[in-house]
């Protein structure tokens, strides 16, 4: 018998696992999270929280704390260079686009914050919402059956071992994911390099020559070396590829060799520096990882679902990995909550992989292209920046959780705006006399938004609670933008999922559309209706 029971167990307490805890608690799901490390790593990870990620955090009370947090050193270090060494002449130099570049499509500009700063804020929010977060707790074997999974946890401080019974397990345990490997889930893609991270402290002002450099793609000490700011003006991390096939390994990187590699990369043989431990309080000089681009062949095996780096790994160029993982967790949370509370059938979970795996494939391809562009190709990233916005805000889902029929536009094709499977567009509206974004209207359940000229037919009760919003009745659209932005007329209707994606829309709202909506909801939630229209349990 398991000593504890919980609906959802999250394995892994990085930013993706912690976000999953926040999102599930937002739906009222009891959550236990186990993370083997005692705290966050200081090494460079995600630094840019994208507009879409900030939209998700906005809906869960995290936007304010994250914007108020100490900003990343990258806020001032805007430039990216390619050169042989930091001190050498540049082959290429570019800079990030301003945060306001998405102001017309999202209410949330990106936030530059160190992941080591963001994670404690997300953890605090998860705990405030009631999540049971246990750091320094390692998950062992996962044994599944038809009704759930038993997982052995070990308190690494006391050594106590105990079993937890969960209806579902979310594996957010990183790119090496012991859970994924134990399940035998394979990946497809490619490994680009083995890399060691060397964290160090030094004054690089002479080599910088006043340039606000945040990232340097270098060819010394070996091609593919990356120099990045860490968490302060004088703290950096050097990422150096090594080749295990030539007998090279992390043990070769003694403190002396690390210092030599840093001086060679900077281009100053006499540079004073201090090598920092890979993990605070630890004795290792380096941390190893794989520069890779791959996606898991399965996102679910029975009662276990993969999110974040357990499901996909991509090069760091573009800062897409953590954002993709957070969005995985958000997509999964509402579906898992609906299955757990009985409003949806378990078949709904199939839509998680159907929707998120193609996004990971596209994102991996883009980040790999960016990596190749920065390390050897041209320097023009305009098209890539547009693609990053599209991947964060403009992709379209195709799954059983989207009603496929659509409205034909003037040219006989479905218009992009408001198309089912896309994120509901951002429109400035007013609620209770105050301006807000239309995305603030949605969640935690399904929302039906009716245009100002929609009929008065009341939607019938479906398999899940439905929030009905009518423009002109508590919510105002002063510029009249909502119908155009959503691809319907002023008498139309749009059904928005709990994650802010359009599930269905109708050109005009009336008895026919109301009848279709009931069928739509039952189909989306994998809960068929009886002939009388009532839910069949």
């Amino acid at each position: 018998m398991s000593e504890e029971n919980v609906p959802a167990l999250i394995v892994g307490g990085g930013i993706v696992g912690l976000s999953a805890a926040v999102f599930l608690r937002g739906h009222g799901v009891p959550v236990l999270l186990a993370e083997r490390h005692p705290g966050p790593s200081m090494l460079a990870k995600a630094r840019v929280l994208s507009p879409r990620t900030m939209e998700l955090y906005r809906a869960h009370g995290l936007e304010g704390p994250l914007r108020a947090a100490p900003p990343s050193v990258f806020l001032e270090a805007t430039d990216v260079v390619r050169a042989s060494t930091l001190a050498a002449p540049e082959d290429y130099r570019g800079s990030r686009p301003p945060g306001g570049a998405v102001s017309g499509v999202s209410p949330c500009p990106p936030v530059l914050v160190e992941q080591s700063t963001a994670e404690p804020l997300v953890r605090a929010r998860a705990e405030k919402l009631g999540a049971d977060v246990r750091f320094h707790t390692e998950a062992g074997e996962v044994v599944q059956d038809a009704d759930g999974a038993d997982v052995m946890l070990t308190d690494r401080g006391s050594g106590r071992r105990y079993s937890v019974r969960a209806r579902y397990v979310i594996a957010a345990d990183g790119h090496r994911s012991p859970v994924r490997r134990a399940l035998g889930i394979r990946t497809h893609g490619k490994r680009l390099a083995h890399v060691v991270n060397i964290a160090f402290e030094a004054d690089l002002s002479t080599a910088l020559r006043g340039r606000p450099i945040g990232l340097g793609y270098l060819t010394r000490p070996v091609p593919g070396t990356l120099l990045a700011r860490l968490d302060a003006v004088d703290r950096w991390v050097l990422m150096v590829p090594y080749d295990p096939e030539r007998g090279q390994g992390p043990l070769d990187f003694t403190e002396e060799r690390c210092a030599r590699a840093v001086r060679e990369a900077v281009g100053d043989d006499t540079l004073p520096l201090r090598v920092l431990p890979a993990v605070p309080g630890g004795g290792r000089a380096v941390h190893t990882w794989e520069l890779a681009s791959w996606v898991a062949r399965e996102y679910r095996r029975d009662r276990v679902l993969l999110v974040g780096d357990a499901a996909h790994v991509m090069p760091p160029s573009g800062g897409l990995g953590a954002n993709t993982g957070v969005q995985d967790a958000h997509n999964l949370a509402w579906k898992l909550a609906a299955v757990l509370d009985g409003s949806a059938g378990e078949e709904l979970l199939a839509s998680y992989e159907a929707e998120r795996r193609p996004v990971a494939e596209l994102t991996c391809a883009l980040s790999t292209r960016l990596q190749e562009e920065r390390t050897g190709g041209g320097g023009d990233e305009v098209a890539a920046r547009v693609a990053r916005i599209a991947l964060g805000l403009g992709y379209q889902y195709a799954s059983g959780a989207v009603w496929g029929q659509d409205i034909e536009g003037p040219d006989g094709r479905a218009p992009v705006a408001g198309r089912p499977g896309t994120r509901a567009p951002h429109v400035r509206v007013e609620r209770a006399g105050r301006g807000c974004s239309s995305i603030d209207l949605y969640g935690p359940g399904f929302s039906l938004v009716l245009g100002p000229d929609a009929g008065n037919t009341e939607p019938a009760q479906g398999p899940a609670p439905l929030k009905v919003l009518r423009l002109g009745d508590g919510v105002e659209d002063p510029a009249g933008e909502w119908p155009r932005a959503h691809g319907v007329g002023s008498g139309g209707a749009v059904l928005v999922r709990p994650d802010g994606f359009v599930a269905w829309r109708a050109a005009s709202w009336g008895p026919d559309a109301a009848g279709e909506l009931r069928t739509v909801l039952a189909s989306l939630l994998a809960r068929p209706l009886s002939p009388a229209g009532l839910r069949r349990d």
Side-chain angles (χ1 to χ4, degrees):
M1 295 291 293
S2 296
E3 298 176 46
E4 298 183 44
N5 286 270
V6 66
L9 170 65
I10 300 170
V11 179
I15 195 166
V16 173
L18 291 167
S19 296
V22 169
F23 300 149
L24 284 167
R25 287 303 303 143
H27 291 287
V29 178
V31 173
L32 190 160
L33 181 148
E35 164 55 48
R36 67 186 301 270
H37 291 107
S41 169
M42 60 172 278
L43 293 175
K45 293 184 181 179
R47 284 192 163 110
V48 181
L49 298 177
S50 72
R52 179 58 184 157
T53 296
M54 289 305 298
E55 289 178 2
L56 310 185
Y57 284 152
R58 174 189 181 102
H60 289 83
L62 273 165
E63 183 182 23
L66 287 167
R67 293 199 187 280
S72 167
V73 292
F74 272 48
L75 185 65
E76 302 297 332
T78 58
D79 288 9
V80 177
V81 299
R82 186 170 64 241
S84 59
T85 69
L86 183 63
E90 304 153 1
D91 299 323
Y92 161 75
R93 182 175 173 185
S95 61
R96 293 188 308 274
V102 296
S103 60
V105 292
S106 173
C108 299
V111 169
L112 269 72
V113 61
E114 306 298 340
Q115 186 167 325
S116 57
T117 300
E119 283 182 359
L121 296 174
V122 182
R123 176 181 178 178
R125 184 60 180 166
E127 291 175 329
K128 185 174 181 179
L129 291 172
D132 184 352
V133 178
R134 304 180 191 179
F135 270 59
H136 219 201
T137 299
E138 186 166 10
E141 184 180 11
V142 179
V143 179
Q144 301 189 68
D145 57 38
D147 300 315
D150 294 293
V151 183
M152 186 63 65
L153 300 184
T154 302
D155 183 319
R156 300 185 74 191
S158 67
R160 174 179 171 252
R161 300 177 74 244
Y162 55 98
S163 179
V164 171
R165 174 74 172 176
R167 286 186 62 188
Y168 291 94
V169 175
I170 297 176
D173 51 343
H175 70 284
R176 293 188 175 99
S177 184
V179 174
R180 185 192 69 242
R181 293 185 177 190
L183 291 172
I185 296 177
R186 301 176 64 186
T187 65
H188 73 95
K190 56 184 177 181
R191 179 187 297 119
L192 305 176
H194 292 271
V195 180
V196 294
N197 282 359
I198 304 170
F200 68 96
E201 205 168 65
D203 178 2
L204 303 187
S205 56
T206 300
L208 288 170
R209 302 190 302 277
R211 297 171 295 171
I213 294 174
L215 290 171
Y217 290 82
L218 312 174
T219 59
R220 303 286 298 275
V222 296
T225 296
L226 176 63
L227 178 66
R229 296 204 182 243
L230 192 52
D231 56 4
V233 172
D234 59 350
R235 288 160 67 92
W236 300 75
V237 60
L238 186 70
M239 306 175 203
V240 182
Y242 67 95
D243 189 353
E245 293 185 1
R246 296 184 178 181
Q248 300 172 0
L251 295 180
D252 297 330
F253 287 83
T254 62
E255 188 169 329
E256 292 74 19
R257 179 174 174 179
C258 289
R260 188 165 61 250
V262 168
R263 292 186 177 107
E264 192 170 353
V266 173
D268 182 348
D269 292 339
T270 61
L271 177 73
L273 65 97
R274 182 168 73 95
V275 175
L276 304 173
V279 178
R284 291 186 297 130
V286 297
H287 167 79
T288 62
W289 57 284
E290 290 182 358
L291 178 62
S293 178
W294 57 254
V295 178
R297 293 185 181 274
E298 303 170 58
Y299 272 32
R300 179 189 176 197
R301 179 71 61 82
D302 301 323
R303 294 277 168 165
V304 180
L305 299 110
L306 311 182
V307 296
D309 285 354
H312 47 71
V313 167
M314 54 201 69
S317 297
L320 302 172
N323 288 291
T324 304
V326 170
Q327 292 160 36
D328 290 341
H330 191 258
N331 180 284
L332 175 60
W334 76 267
K335 297 172 181 177
L336 197 56
V339 171
L340 287 167
D341 72 16
S343 61
E346 191 171 342
E347 294 85 353
L348 174 63
L349 296 179
S351 69
Y352 168 60
E353 177 175 341
E355 293 181 352
R356 294 303 302 171
R357 194 163 174 268
V359 171
E361 299 275 6
L362 287 169
T363 309
C364 280
L366 173 60
S367 58
T368 301
R369 181 183 131 205
L370 278 171
Q371 183 76 17
E372 293 168 347
E373 196 173 70
R374 287 180 171 177
T375 55
D380 184 3
E381 296 182 40
V382 174
R385 288 172 181 167
V386 172
R388 284 207 295 275
I389 293 173
L391 284 172
L393 299 171
Y395 47 74
Q396 182 177 12
Y397 292 149
S399 77
V402 174
W403 192 258
Q405 297 178 5
D406 207 346
I407 304 166
E408 288 193 342
D411 59 357
R413 293 179 298 176
V416 173
R419 178 184 292 178
T422 64
R423 163 188 162 274
H426 156 62
V427 176
R428 296 302 303 178
V429 296
E430 293 181 0
R431 181 170 54 179
R434 301 183 62 180
C436 67
S437 169
S438 55
I439 70 166
D440 297 329
L441 304 175
Y442 311 133
F446 279 83
S447 301
L448 177 68
V449 187
L450 304 176
D453 298 323
N456 293 322
T457 303
E458 289 295 321
Q461 178 63 46
L466 182 65
K467 176 170 63 178
V468 181
L469 302 164
R470 182 183 292 272
L471 297 176
D473 183 9
V475 178
E476 304 297 328
D477 177 23
E481 286 293 311
W482 184 88
R484 180 198 58 79
H486 290 77
V488 297
S490 61
V494 176
L495 178 67
V496 182
R497 303 188 326 186
D499 60 353
F501 274 69
V502 176
W504 167 86
R505 63 182 179 178
S508 62
W509 175 255
D512 290 345
E516 183 181 13
L517 172 62
R518 185 169 52 189
T519 303
V520 167
L521 278 169
S523 176
L524 299 181
L525 294 171
R527 297 303 302 264
L529 298 177
S530 70
L534 299 176
R535 192 173 76 190
R536 213 168 37 218
D537 290 312

